[in-house]
Amino acid sequence: MSLLSVLTLDENELVACVACGLCLPHCPTYRVTGLEAASPRGRIAAMQAVQFGDAPLDATFERYMEECVQCRGCEAACPSSVPFGHLMEGARGVLHEQRRSERRWRRRLAEWLGYRLVLPRHRLLLALTWLLLVAQRLHLVPRRLGLPRLSVRSLARRLRVPAGDAPDAYLFTGCVMDAWQRDTHRAAIRVMAATGARPGLPRGGADCCGALHVHAGREEEARRLARRVIAALPGTAPVVVDSAGCAAAMKDYGRLLDTDEARTFATRVRDFSEWLARQPPPAVRADGGRVVVQDPCHLRHVQHADGAVREVLGRAYELAETDDDGLCCGAGGAYNALQPALATQIRDRKVEAIRRAAGDGRPRVASANPGCAMHLAAAGLDVRHPADLLAEALE
Amino acid sequence: MADLRAALGPDRARAEPLELALYQRDAGVDRGQAAAVCFPGTVDQLAAAVGIAAWHDRPFVARGSGTGLAGGATPVGDPLVIVTTGLNRIVEVDADERVAWVEPGVLNLDLSRAVHHLGLHYAPDPSSQQACTIGGNVATNAGGPHCLAAGVTAAHVLAVEVVLADGSVAMLGGLEPDAPGYDLRGCFVGSEGTMGVSGRIAVRLTPNPPAVRTLLLDFSTIEAAAATVSGIIAAGIVPAALEMMDAEITRAVEDFVGAGYPRDAAAVLLVELDGLPAGVEAQVEAVRRVGHEHGARTVRVAADDAERALLWKGRKSAFGAIARIAPDYYLHDAVVPRTKLVDVLRQVYAIAAEYDLTMMNVFHAGDGNLHPLIVFDQRTPGVWERVHAAGDAILRACVDAGGVLSGEHGIGLEKRDAMPLVFTPDDLDAQARLRDAFDPSGRANPEKILPSGSRCGELQRVPAGAWI
Ligand SMILES: Cc1cc2nc3c(=O)[nH]c(=O)nc-3n(C[C@H](O)[C@H](O)[C@H](O)COP(=O)(O)OP(=O)(O)OC[C@H]3O[C@@H](n4cnc5c(N)ncnc54)[C@H](O)[C@@H]3O)c2cc1C
Ligand code: SF4
Ligand code: SF4
């Protein structure tokens, strides 16, 4: 253990926390543990202790940081606007650099496979998805993983958009979502077309937005991916994203790359519902029934697009709200894989809140993020993307 | 540690240096150092933890959410910190009797939400209500904006199960309205953990009012706002809440919530009226009239629940939002007679100017409970001395005007040495002896409330109806 390791976070950001504790109830890990160490205030205090030399950067510190879902519920709740997400990404970056050598080889191999080999290469991800599909048919993939049922038809068919010149709006397709939930992209394209707009697809190279890399503190890799994404989406047309985690990351490209090109690009990025709310409303049947809205954290706390989701879904469905202030569901990118115990406890809380909101019957849940959808589906809920729900309601 | 781990389970007691560093302070400024921290999951485990501290003759400090502003949960004397957040079950709700039994770690707002569908709520609503625990509220006798009409925590606590310093458990108070004997429950409320740790608590629930209206009045001088406060009370109206914020704080809050608070106002008043619909409408008109008479620039009535919620979110974020201006704050909590409000405010701003400090004010205007806030950056050399000197000067000004030290946050560590300003040695001695009766060993949250020399006391000296 190296005692010389130091944190080098922005000191002004770090001391901005006045320890008022108003963020505590909005933190999923604090809610299920009641531990200061699993709270935003405690994590900041730990960062301060390490940065100012009062405590070593050791395995305990690493555990505190890694237990954070990076949902940024605390950031939205903090009246002092402590930029928690940025601090946490910084801390993860330092941990990634300094503690790499101490990680077990299995974890390092898994990280390398995921972050470096597969995610940046969409064809490889698709090939692996075919294998996964076969495994799923052979019942080798446990249901509790929440993997949606992969479909041969869906995987075999490419996404199609009307041919023609420059599109009115791009649909960003991304990595895992395109491999596992391509039907949601199809639904999004149908709804986009129903507004009268002409949707387009990215050119080659937009394999992955890099959100997971940023969360893991792998900024250099994230920057490489971001440059490729920007190059694959030329012009000025809005970039519509139907995964809340990706959209949040792409809106932050300006900070990540620190170039004017990236900043301009970031202003073009829209969450699907955010974009749709500004278009002429497509004709829908208004009798879709009751849907419980689940706000993915990066939609609500980071993009503040929770209002837009309600606006567009409300045209076709009767909406029900949970009573937990949009507390995180525990999916958090790769979090449910890395911290399964905490992720499950957090999810149990969420599932209870959803059942309370739904009243009787099996609730139908709308979630605008593939990670949340899979995580909640693994608990036996019927979770749909707003694009799927709206496509179903189109006249 | 071994005893704690054996009694509570291995994960429920910790002593790693980094872990302890997280329990050095509450939301106030003072820091201490804990010897160990434990997280009981049941009231039995809570009693066991206190018993183990007794066995090892070690001090102990109860801690809820650590939102206290007076250093009450700051560990002093190498204590065991006992965290109650794991005791967060609502044990029983009796909607007919309007009583709820809760564990001490239940969050204030969670309780109100849980009984909302019964048409009830828990009335004391400190601005920290989303985060603070009922146990912490009982220990500090917390108040909140709505305590103007409803009364502070003491008026809403019926019975408390207390783990005494030796680990034994006693039940104070009861559900019957007028229990025979001394009101020990009353002594315990506000004792800031110096008389023992609360286990289960029986609280009174209050019916939700049939109609609520929230008004925002804005003024170009603080005096006009203060005069309006007196005017409203003089008109015979008892608002459910009556809150005032000065210019700086209003701007900071508006930057956070975007509720449409006027950025150019010298002061704003937030007035809430509740009751039967017809009566409330009449009161809205009366407040509007009084406001205009005293020079209110605008009077805005919140149109719906969402707008009301946003206005309150602004007010309740006030303390947190000040970090937008500087990273550290020093908060006072003093009550002055309402008639002296304008006077004291002028002095307070003058003191800040004299020490070259930024000063803001947010307070429960209805009962003269001031919260002057000095904001500063610890990293500025010499700033601490100025902050402390200005703080003392402010307290003196409040006391000279006939006020008291603490409206609602408690005395804790921070204001301990100012106690002799308002109490005679005899008073302090009486308080020390009262505390000794509960905790002869002096191990329950040592060195809090009473300055060294007088030893320990309780806080019933706070005038009824006062909170922050
Ligand atoms: C932004 C903000 C706004 C606030 N607004 C208000 C307000 O409007 N009104 C108000 O009154 N206060 C206010 N406060 C202060 C604070 O929230 C209250 O004092 C609250 O009651 C503390 O609760 P807690 O659970 O955080 O207790 P802690 O801070 O953890 O503890 C406070 C004290 O209670 C003791 N204690 C805690 N639990 C127990 C227990 N189970 N048994 C015995 N002793 C115990 C501790 O030892 C300590 O002395 C505010 C604080 C903040 C940060
Ligand atoms: S992060 Fe913000 S809300 Fe949380 S304790 Fe710090 S200042 Fe308060
Ligand atoms: S990002 Fe989420 S999990 Fe992490 S500290 Fe903030 S609220 Fe808690």
Side-chain angles (χ1 to χ4, degrees):
Chain A
M1 187 185 303
S2 151
L3 288 173
L4 292 174
S5 319
V6 278
L7 273 184
T8 44
L9 304 173
D10 183 322
E11 200 177 304
N12 285 321
E13 288 183 9
L14 202 53
V15 300
C17 171
V18 293
C20 66
L22 291 187
C23 52
L24 298 178
H26 303 278
C27 173
T29 54
Y30 180 76
R31 273 293 191 168
V32 299
T33 62
L35 301 178
E36 200 64 34
S39 80
R41 179 175 66 181
R43 288 178 178 125
I44 293 172
M47 290 179 205
Q48 290 172 343
V50 170
Q51 175 135 344
F52 301 135
D54 299 330
L57 192 154
D58 59 4
T60 310
F61 178 72
E62 185 173 24
R63 178 162 58 81
Y64 293 172
M65 296 303 119
E66 295 203 331
E67 282 171 359
C68 168
V69 198
Q70 293 180 286
C71 68
R72 291 163 71 174
C74 51
E75 196 172 311
C78 172
S80 300
S81 294
V82 174
F84 186 88
H86 190 220
L87 285 170
M88 180 53 76
E89 282 159 13
R92 296 264 178 122
V94 172
L95 284 169
H96 171 62
E97 289 303 320
Q98 303 202 349
R99 291 193 50 84
R100 191 162 33 180
S101 56
E102 288 166 38
R103 295 201 171 144
R104 298 243 190 101
W105 68 268
R106 269 204 295 188
R107 161 127 184 229
R108 271 190 287 162
L109 178 67
E111 286 183 349
W112 182 83
L113 281 174
Y115 293 117
R116 307 266 328 232
L117 188 70
V118 181
L119 289 180
R121 292 178 183 77
H122 196 54
R123 291 230 182 91
L124 183 56
L125 176 63
L126 290 178
L128 288 172
T129 303
W130 280 107
L131 285 179
L132 205 57
L133 186 149
V134 175
Q136 199 175 39
R137 291 299 180 279
L138 297 172
H139 303 286
L140 295 176
V141 183
R143 283 274 296 274
R144 64 181 162 78
L145 293 184
L147 185 70
R149 188 179 158 84
L150 301 167
S151 129
V152 175
R153 264 191 55 185
S154 179
L155 257 180
R157 283 188 309 146
R158 289 165 158 268
L159 283 177
R160 284 191 188 289
V161 289
D165 347 310
D168 297 323
Y170 287 106
L171 178 72
F172 176 75
T173 46
C175 54
V176 178
M177 181 132 180
D178 186 55
W180 298 353
Q181 301 181 359
R182 194 179 281 168
D183 281 339
T184 297
H185 284 338
R186 292 202 172 86
I189 290 171
R190 278 181 57 209
V191 177
M192 286 169 77
T195 66
R198 191 180 29 217
L201 295 172
R203 300 179 183 172
D207 297 278
C208 171
C209 70
L212 293 179
H213 301 76
V214 175
H215 293 167
R218 309 172 78 101
E219 288 225 333
E220 207 30 66
E221 290 159 28
R223 275 192 275 272
R224 260 198 309 275
L225 291 169
R227 282 190 214 103
R228 281 164 51 188
V229 167
I230 294 176
L233 292 154
T236 55
V239 177
V240 177
V241 186
D242 55 8
S243 148
C246 304
M250 291 163 71
K251 287 179 177 180
D252 200 31
Y253 277 178
R255 190 185 62 77
L256 183 68
L257 293 176
D258 197 22
T259 62
D260 286 337
E261 187 193 20
R263 276 183 282 273
T264 313
F265 178 84
T267 60
R268 292 164 54 203
V269 178
R270 303 270 184 289
D271 175 74
F272 169 78
S273 300
E274 211 179 4
W275 176 84
L276 187 61
R278 295 293 182 91
Q279 305 302 311
V284 289
R285 292 182 304 274
D287 54 358
R290 200 173 165 86
V291 167
V292 181
V293 189
Q294 181 262 347
D295 290 318
C297 296
H298 286 215
L299 186 94
R300 176 170 170 147
H301 306 318
V302 183
Q303 300 189 69
H304 309 291
D306 43 326
V309 171
R310 286 162 177 72
E311 186 180 337
V312 299
L313 270 184
R315 294 169 189 162
Y317 295 88
E318 180 203 337
L319 304 184
E321 299 284 348
T322 57
D323 57 5
D324 60 356
D325 287 325
L327 195 73
C328 172
C329 71
Y335 186 81
N336 54 353
L338 298 172
Q339 302 281 344
L342 275 173
T344 307
Q345 286 179 48
I346 296 170
R347 181 177 65 197
D348 290 347
R349 242 192 109 90
K350 187 80 197 180
V351 171
E352 272 170 38
I354 289 173
R355 291 202 195 286
R356 274 199 303 277
D360 8 296
R362 181 163 184 239
R364 211 162 19 149
V365 185
S367 174
N369 194 49
C372 307
M374 280 167 46
H375 186 54
L376 291 171
L381 292 175
D382 175 13
V383 194
R384 314 287 302 278
H385 193 284
D388 290 317
L389 289 167
L390 284 168
E392 226 168 78
L394 285 178
E395 289 276 351
Chain B
M1 278 307 289
D3 287 353
L4 282 172
R5 291 217 168 95
L8 276 59
D11 286 344
R12 294 192 176 275
R14 298 191 182 174
E16 297 99 328
L18 188 58
E19 184 81 37
L20 298 183
L22 310 183
Y23 293 91
Q24 285 182 338
R25 60 181 287 200
D26 56 12
V29 287
D30 295 304
R31 282 173 194 263
Q33 181 64 42
V37 48
C38 68
F39 312 92
T42 62
V43 175
D44 287 345
Q45 289 185 354
L46 174 70
V50 176
I52 290 168
W55 176 251
H56 292 274
D57 198 21
R58 195 169 271 284
F60 60 92
V61 177
R63 178 185 172 103
S65 300
T67 68
L69 293 165
T74 300
V76 179
D78 244 6
L80 169 65
V81 172
I82 302 175
V83 179
T84 64
T85 53
L87 298 160
N88 60 356
R89 283 159 289 257
I90 296 174
V91 184
E92 192 187 320
V93 176
D94 185 334
D96 298 327
E97 293 294 325
R98 295 185 191 144
V99 172
W101 278 99
V102 299
E103 292 184 344
V106 169
L107 303 187
N108 177 310
L109 188 58
D110 283 359
L111 175 58
S112 281
R113 289 212 174 142
V115 297
H116 181 78
H117 68 283
L118 302 169
L120 299 170
H121 67 289
Y122 176 62
D125 63 335
S127 304
S128 52
Q129 88 186 112
Q130 52 174 311
C132 59
T133 64
I134 301 282
N137 291 170
V138 170
T140 57
N141 193 12
H146 287 85
C147 294
L148 178 57
V152 289
T153 300
H156 300 267
V157 174
L158 299 168
V160 191
E161 175 187 37
V162 179
V163 179
L164 297 168
D166 61 0
S168 63
V169 178
M171 182 63 78
L172 308 182
L175 302 188
E176 56 285 354
D178 191 10
Y182 290 116
D183 182 10
L184 296 176
R185 172 209 61 89
C187 287
F188 184 82
V189 176
S191 65
E192 300 188 48
T194 63
M195 294 180 177
V197 185
S198 62
R200 282 169 285 248
I201 301 165
V203 296
R204 191 192 305 283
L205 301 172
T206 307
N208 298 339
V212 187
R213 296 290 241 157
T214 304
L215 289 79
L216 179 70
L217 291 77
D218 102 72
F219 300 88
S220 39
T221 64
I222 293 233
E223 285 80 359
T228 305
V229 171
S230 306
I232 291 173
I233 308 277
I237 300 169
V238 183
L242 181 46
E243 303 283 307
M244 180 156 149
M245 296 194 284
D246 77 358
E248 290 249 27
I249 205 106
T250 304
R251 274 196 296 275
V253 157
E254 178 60 15
D255 285 345
F256 174 52
V257 290
Y261 277 110
R263 281 171 199 279
D264 57 346
V268 300
L269 283 182
L270 197 59
V271 187
E272 188 151 285
L273 303 163
D274 66 12
L276 296 169
V280 170
E281 288 317 317
Q283 291 189 346
V284 167
E285 286 322 306
V287 169
R288 196 195 295 275
R289 204 179 50 242
V290 174
H292 283 310
E293 276 166 22
H294 292 92
R297 294 191 306 178
T298 57
V299 177
R300 169 173 149 200
V301 184
D304 53 26
D305 281 353
E307 193 178 341
R308 274 190 54 221
L310 202 57
L311 287 174
W312 276 114
K313 185 174 176 194
R315 165 60 187 87
K316 294 197 168 180
S317 311
F319 295 124
I322 53 101
R324 291 164 179 278
I325 299 163
D328 302 292
Y329 61 83
Y330 188 82
L331 170 69
H332 283 290
D333 168 30
V335 184
V336 298
R338 217 164 25 232
T339 46
K340 299 270 179 64
L341 205 59
V342 174
D343 234 28
V344 173
L345 272 177
R346 267 204 212 101
Q347 288 182 44
V348 162
Y349 284 109
I351 292 168
E354 184 185 328
Y355 288 95
D356 193 20
L357 293 164
T358 308
M359 157 77 62
M360 314 201 255
N361 268 292
V362 49
F363 48 96
H364 311 298
D367 45 16
N369 187 185
L370 293 181
H371 291 302
L373 271 154
I374 303 173
V375 296
F376 60 100
D377 186 337
Q378 292 210 32
R379 293 170 296 178
T380 318
V383 73
W384 258 118
E385 289 71 34
R386 280 188 286 138
V387 169
H388 275 297
D392 286 347
I394 291 170
L395 273 186
R396 234 167 266 281
C398 295
V399 173
D400 287 348
V404 298
L405 285 180
S406 165
E408 62 187 354
H409 297 163
I411 301 297
L413 203 50
E414 191 180 298
K415 305 203 174 65
R416 187 188 60 179
D417 292 330
M419 287 286 275
L421 275 180
V422 277
F423 293 118
T424 65
D426 281 352
D427 288 342
L428 290 175
D429 181 58
Q431 297 199 21
R433 277 186 283 130
L434 178 56
R435 173 186 166 159
D436 287 352
F438 277 85
D439 171 24
S441 69
R443 287 180 301 101
N445 207 0
E447 300 193 34
K448 302 294 166 59
I449 304 188
L450 294 185
S452 11
S454 61
R455 306 246 328 266
C456 312
E458 52 101 33
L459 278 184
Q460 299 308 305
R461 225 46 55 112
V462 177
W467 64 87
I468 99 171

